[in-house]
Amino acid sequence: LEVFPAIGDLVRLSGAVSEFRDATQITLDGAVEIVSSGNTVSATAMSMPFSDESDLESVEGMLISFSQELVVTDNYNLGRFGQFQVSSERLYIPTNQFPAGSPEAIALATANSADRLLIDDGNSAQNPNVLPFPEAGLSFVDTLRLGDSVVNPEGVLHYAFGHYNLITTEGLTFAPTKAHTV
């Protein structure tokens, strides 16, 4: 008899922990036992930028939340895969500010890589008909622009295709790009 835990179930299991395509997994060596049900699941609070990728490895597969506004820094794969990238602030291309290969460019590239996270709709379909971002539905009049903010995102952290992804569990709240004066 297979057991299918629900959200809020406390389970007991045993098995070998391993990596499959760089994602952590448990290969069970026995049955899954539901110890109790109806428990509250609290998100682990995170903030960006991260000190390094080990910050994310330690919470892979967990419910996490951010109590900061995160800035949309890349939306190229939004229409194709339902993904967009966020950071704690605007990211600058290192070689736009410093000579290629210079210590300053390398330092900025390193800092940028610690300040990126993909937000994903959790749908693996390519070019889906419906996108959940923004909540009213992506269209030419309702789009997600670079510089827009995502307010207090929450979801499950997943690793796939070489990137950590926040797969949202709640609807996202967006704030439009702030106007700049010249």
Side-chain angles (χ1 to χ4, degrees):
L1 179 67
E2 289 188 47
V3 174
F4 295 101
I7 293 174
D9 286 351
L10 176 64
V11 298
R12 180 177 296 130
L13 53 90
S14 67
V17 178
S18 62
E19 297 284 321
F20 179 72
R21 296 186 178 161
D22 294 324
T24 305
Q25 67 177 12
I26 298 175
T27 303
L28 296 175
D29 61 14
V32 174
E33 174 188 354
I34 296 179
V35 177
S36 64
S37 297
N39 300 291
T40 301
V41 179
S42 299
T44 298
M46 301 287 294
S47 64
M48 292 178 76
F50 308 112
S51 59
D52 59 42
E53 276 203 351
S54 66
D55 285 357
L56 297 175
E57 177 70 23
S58 65
V59 293
E60 182 182 353
M62 292 175 57
L63 181 65
I64 64 171
S65 65
F66 295 86
S67 59
Q68 68 191 114
E69 281 192 25
L70 299 176
V71 178
V72 176
T73 55
D74 186 358
N75 61 5
Y76 182 78
N77 282 321
L78 181 59
R80 187 164 185 205
F81 297 113
Q83 299 175 329
F84 63 95
Q85 180 179 274
V86 294
S87 303
S88 66
E89 61 186 5
R90 181 178 175 187
L91 300 182
Y92 294 93
I93 298 170
T95 55
N96 279 355
Q97 295 191 327
F98 305 106
S102 69
E104 297 88 356
I106 293 168
L108 183 54
T110 301
N112 284 352
S113 67
D115 198 8
R116 290 184 176 148
L117 181 66
L118 282 176
I119 294 186
D120 193 309
D121 64 0
N123 180 356
S124 61
Q126 186 172 324
N127 302 315
N129 288 332
V130 177
L131 290 171
F133 313 125
E135 199 166 301
L138 182 66
S139 71
F140 71 96
V141 294
D142 191 18
T143 190
L144 187 59
R145 299 181 188 283
L146 299 185
D148 286 354
S149 297
V150 183
V151 182
N152 305 328
E154 180 175 293
V156 175
L157 189 68
H158 177 65
Y159 188 84
F161 301 105
H163 300 283
Y164 284 98
N165 302 275
L166 182 71
I167 300 175
T168 59
T169 53
E170 301 288 328
L172 295 177
T173 302
F174 294 96
T177 303
K178 295 175 177 65
H180 298 281
T181 58
V182 179

